[in-house]
Amino acid sequence: MDQYMVWLLILLVIGVIVSNLMVLKYTSKFKWPGNKKPDEKNSPGNNSDENKGDD
């Protein structure tokens, strides 16, 4: 009986490892939103609308 429990535990551990690797492979295709850097055009110090003036 103990031999069956050892094999069951080994198969369970191998199954968990394989399933985790499969999930990692599947989720590597997704694009996660990262920290966006503000565009230089939209930065507060470089606003071209303020520099135009009224002609």
Side-chain angles (χ1 to χ4, degrees), residues 27-40:
T27 57
S28 67
K29 297 176 186 177
F30 293 118
K31 300 288 183 187
W32 294 99
N35 294 335
K36 288 186 176 180
K37 293 182 180 177
D39 294 335
E40 292 180 9

Side-chain angles (χ1 to χ4, degrees), residues 25-54:
K25 184 178 178 183
Y26 178 73
T27 57
S28 67
K29 297 176 186 177
F30 293 118
K31 300 288 183 187
W32 294 99
N35 294 335
K36 288 186 176 180
K37 293 182 180 177
D39 294 335
E40 292 180 9
K41 296 177 183 177
N42 296 334
S43 64
N46 189 16
N47 195 351
S48 60
D49 292 338
E50 292 176 355
N51 298 334
K52 287 184 180 178
D54 294 327

